[in-house]
Amino acid sequence: MVYKTPCHLLPFAFFLLGFVLISSLAQPIPTTFVNVTTYGARPDGSTDSSKAFLAAWHVACTSAQATTIIVPAGRFLVGNLVFQGNKCTSAPISIHIAGTIIAPEDYRVIAKSEQWIWFTGVTDVSIYGGILDAQGTSLWECKTNGHGNCPSGAKTLLFTASNNININGLTSINSQKFHIVLDTCNNVNISGVHVSADANSPNTDGIHVQSSRSVYIGNSSIGTGDDCISIGPGSTSIHINNIRCGPGHGISIGSLGSAEEEQGVEDVTVSNVDFSGTYNGVRIKTWGKNSNSFARNIVFQHINMNRVNNPIIIDQHYCLREPCLKTESGVEISNVRYQDIHGTSNTDVAVILDCSKEKPCTDIEMSNVNLSLVNEPAHAACENANGLANDVVPFTPCLKKDSLMK
């Protein structure tokens, strides 16, 4: 005999079924924990633990459940690591690092592949805490001493073709080249990171973003021998907030226009940044050559400069090696806002808008800007830029005064 629910009890039955379904959804997702020491990693700083890290990744990658990879306290030596996501399930992977991951002392070991720790094609990966020490000082010395056989160097942490990435509380020190790189990534959150390299270390950008969308970088301290943060071609919807930058070359959009056919940069907001002793503050730089690239819809706001060589600079004649040909950039720079920027310049010219004759900078707006030498007035230099200014010191001569600007 089949039992049938009486009609007057049907509403209660549906309510009970809904309660059970909602309760089951409210339960935390089961998480698998994987410790790299289980697969042979040794926290002694001398045993190569590369295979153990890759074995732990394989377990996490193929798991149907969310997985946390544990890197306990200690020093773990690893060579080049490639974490591939093409065979992974859709379950999230978290990597919790309590210790330090170090590269081999011989810089050639990781420099030969140009990246040390590489995640490619991954989704829903989070890294929490820990220290990455690329031990790049010997390579810096090789480069600065003019040895012609020095390799370019390895990026410390690279994400390519990846989505939904979270990096929180990570420290990166002594990178051979760039510290953290995002290339062709979407929906990335970087928060609470600390990046450190010697002020004279070459090409050690703190965080570099290119061909990526919807990236947040915040609440971080970056001091390097190159840009604290650099934003390359093809990047859009980039938000940078609450950064301490120095030493270094500031926060840069570009360089752009190295190729004639190149994607541009748009929708970038840089807020609440303290620059201290940096070579540049906020910078847009483009090569002086033909290009269809662009930089547009950029906001620099709520920024403090402390003895910065070039607090505000647009350089459309960027060149790395002398002599530089004074050719004109084809990159279009438009709709750039400078708001609430104060502090001191380390040079007489605090504002430089060096724009292209071929493609002048348009729709530049400055408001509530006050920059000076220590206890002395500073100056501004401006070529081929159009826009408005209000309450700006030093006043930029090619911008029109507009008291109605907010």
PDB file of all heavy atoms in Angstrom, residues 124-137:
ATOM      1  N   ASP A 124      39.852  29.710  -8.604  1.00  0.00           N
ATOM      2  CA  ASP A 124      39.539  29.623  -7.172  1.00  0.00           C
ATOM      3  C   ASP A 124      40.725  29.123  -6.365  1.00  0.00           C
ATOM      4  O   ASP A 124      40.629  28.142  -5.608  1.00  0.00           O
ATOM      5  CB  ASP A 124      38.317  28.723  -6.943  1.00  0.00           C
ATOM      6  CG  ASP A 124      37.036  29.320  -7.472  1.00  0.00           C
ATOM      7  OD1 ASP A 124      36.896  30.551  -7.396  1.00  0.00           O
ATOM      8  OD2 ASP A 124      36.188  28.568  -7.986  1.00  0.00           O
ATOM      9  N   VAL A 125      41.849  29.791  -6.509  1.00  0.00           N
ATOM     10  CA  VAL A 125      43.051  29.472  -5.734  1.00  0.00           C
ATOM     11  C   VAL A 125      43.371  30.644  -4.823  1.00  0.00           C
ATOM     12  O   VAL A 125      43.385  31.800  -5.248  1.00  0.00           O
ATOM     13  CB  VAL A 125      44.248  29.164  -6.655  1.00  0.00           C
ATOM     14  CG1 VAL A 125      45.544  29.084  -5.859  1.00  0.00           C
ATOM     15  CG2 VAL A 125      44.013  27.866  -7.410  1.00  0.00           C
ATOM     16  N   SER A 126      43.628  30.339  -3.551  1.00  0.00           N
ATOM     17  CA  SER A 126      43.957  31.362  -2.560  1.00  0.00           C
ATOM     18  C   SER A 126      45.269  31.014  -1.877  1.00  0.00           C
ATOM     19  O   SER A 126      45.529  29.843  -1.579  1.00  0.00           O
ATOM     20  CB  SER A 126      42.853  31.471  -1.501  1.00  0.00           C
ATOM     21  OG  SER A 126      41.618  31.842  -2.086  1.00  0.00           O
ATOM     22  N   ILE A 127      46.089  32.042  -1.639  1.00  0.00           N
ATOM     23  CA  ILE A 127      47.352  31.878  -0.914  1.00  0.00           C
ATOM     24  C   ILE A 127      47.297  32.775   0.311  1.00  0.00           C
ATOM     25  O   ILE A 127      47.028  33.976   0.208  1.00  0.00           O
ATOM     26  CB  ILE A 127      48.560  32.247  -1.792  1.00  0.00           C
ATOM     27  CG1 ILE A 127      48.631  31.342  -3.024  1.00  0.00           C
ATOM     28  CG2 ILE A 127      49.861  32.148  -0.995  1.00  0.00           C
ATOM     29  CD1 ILE A 127      49.729  31.720  -3.999  1.00  0.00           C
ATOM     30  N   TYR A 128      47.568  32.195   1.478  1.00  0.00           N
ATOM     31  CA  TYR A 128      47.519  32.933   2.726  1.00  0.00           C
ATOM     32  C   TYR A 128      48.863  32.846   3.444  1.00  0.00           C
ATOM     33  O   TYR A 128      49.386  31.750   3.669  1.00  0.00           O
ATOM     34  CB  TYR A 128      46.432  32.366   3.652  1.00  0.00           C
ATOM     35  CG  TYR A 128      45.033  32.477   3.095  1.00  0.00           C
ATOM     36  CD1 TYR A 128      44.425  31.390   2.480  1.00  0.00           C
ATOM     37  CD2 TYR A 128      44.324  33.669   3.190  1.00  0.00           C
ATOM     38  CE1 TYR A 128      43.135  31.485   1.971  1.00  0.00           C
ATOM     39  CE2 TYR A 128      43.034  33.772   2.683  1.00  0.00           C
ATOM     40  CZ  TYR A 128      42.452  32.683   2.077  1.00  0.00           C
ATOM     41  OH  TYR A 128      41.181  32.776   1.571  1.00  0.00           O
ATOM     42  N   GLY A 129      49.392  34.020   3.814  1.00  0.00           N
ATOM     43  CA  GLY A 129      50.562  34.070   4.675  1.00  0.00           C
ATOM     44  C   GLY A 129      51.835  33.575   4.024  1.00  0.00           C
ATOM     45  O   GLY A 129      51.902  33.331   2.819  1.00  0.00           O
ATOM     46  N   GLY A 130      52.867  33.455   4.846  1.00  0.00           N
ATOM     47  CA  GLY A 130      54.116  32.877   4.411  1.00  0.00           C
ATOM     48  C   GLY A 130      55.068  33.863   3.774  1.00  0.00           C
ATOM     49  O   GLY A 130      54.738  35.017   3.500  1.00  0.00           O
ATOM     50  N   ILE A 131      56.288  33.371   3.552  1.00  0.00           N
ATOM     51  CA  ILE A 131      57.357  34.161   2.957  1.00  0.00           C
ATOM     52  C   ILE A 131      57.907  33.420   1.752  1.00  0.00           C
ATOM     53  O   ILE A 131      58.177  32.215   1.817  1.00  0.00           O
ATOM     54  CB  ILE A 131      58.494  34.419   3.969  1.00  0.00           C
ATOM     55  CG1 ILE A 131      57.963  35.183   5.193  1.00  0.00           C
ATOM     56  CG2 ILE A 131      59.637  35.192   3.318  1.00  0.00           C
ATOM     57  CD1 ILE A 131      58.975  35.295   6.320  1.00  0.00           C
ATOM     58  N   LEU A 132      58.086  34.151   0.651  1.00  0.00           N
ATOM     59  CA  LEU A 132      58.780  33.628  -0.522  1.00  0.00           C
ATOM     60  C   LEU A 132      60.106  34.372  -0.634  1.00  0.00           C
ATOM     61  O   LEU A 132      60.127  35.602  -0.783  1.00  0.00           O
ATOM     62  CB  LEU A 132      57.954  33.849  -1.788  1.00  0.00           C
ATOM     63  CG  LEU A 132      56.529  33.288  -1.816  1.00  0.00           C
ATOM     64  CD1 LEU A 132      55.860  33.607  -3.155  1.00  0.00           C
ATOM     65  CD2 LEU A 132      56.529  31.784  -1.561  1.00  0.00           C
ATOM     66  N   ASP A 133      61.200  33.639  -0.544  1.00  0.00           N
ATOM     67  CA  ASP A 133      62.537  34.233  -0.617  1.00  0.00           C
ATOM     68  C   ASP A 133      63.255  33.673  -1.837  1.00  0.00           C
ATOM     69  O   ASP A 133      63.724  32.537  -1.838  1.00  0.00           O
ATOM     70  CB  ASP A 133      63.322  33.928   0.653  1.00  0.00           C
ATOM     71  CG  ASP A 133      64.694  34.588   0.672  1.00  0.00           C
ATOM     72  OD1 ASP A 133      65.063  35.239  -0.326  1.00  0.00           O
ATOM     73  OD2 ASP A 133      65.409  34.437   1.688  1.00  0.00           O
ATOM     74  N   ALA A 134      63.354  34.488  -2.890  1.00  0.00           N
ATOM     75  CA  ALA A 134      63.959  34.035  -4.143  1.00  0.00           C
ATOM     76  C   ALA A 134      65.485  34.130  -4.122  1.00  0.00           C
ATOM     77  O   ALA A 134      66.133  33.730  -5.096  1.00  0.00           O
ATOM     78  CB  ALA A 134      63.408  34.830  -5.315  1.00  0.00           C
ATOM     79  N   GLN A 135      66.048  34.677  -3.060  1.00  0.00           N
ATOM     80  CA  GLN A 135      67.505  34.777  -2.899  1.00  0.00           C
ATOM     81  C   GLN A 135      68.173  35.392  -4.143  1.00  0.00           C
ATOM     82  O   GLN A 135      69.139  34.858  -4.686  1.00  0.00           O
ATOM     83  CB  GLN A 135      68.105  33.404  -2.583  1.00  0.00           C
ATOM     84  CG  GLN A 135      67.539  32.775  -1.328  1.00  0.00           C
ATOM     85  CD  GLN A 135      68.482  31.811  -0.662  1.00  0.00           C
ATOM     86  OE1 GLN A 135      69.298  32.214   0.163  1.00  0.00           O
ATOM     87  NE2 GLN A 135      68.382  30.533  -1.014  1.00  0.00           N
ATOM     88  N   GLY A 136      67.641  36.521  -4.578  1.00  0.00           N
ATOM     89  CA  GLY A 136      68.088  37.112  -5.827  1.00  0.00           C
ATOM     90  C   GLY A 136      69.295  38.028  -5.741  1.00  0.00           C
ATOM     91  O   GLY A 136      69.720  38.587  -6.755  1.00  0.00           O
ATOM     92  N   THR A 137      69.874  38.198  -4.558  1.00  0.00           N
ATOM     93  CA  THR A 137      70.941  39.192  -4.394  1.00  0.00           C
ATOM     94  C   THR A 137      72.157  38.910  -5.271  1.00  0.00           C
ATOM     95  O   THR A 137      72.784  39.846  -5.776  1.00  0.00           O
ATOM     96  CB  THR A 137      71.372  39.293  -2.923  1.00  0.00           C
ATOM     97  OG1 THR A 137      71.709  37.977  -2.450  1.00  0.00           O
ATOM     98  CG2 THR A 137      70.236  39.842  -2.061  1.00  0.00           C
TER      99      THR A 137
END
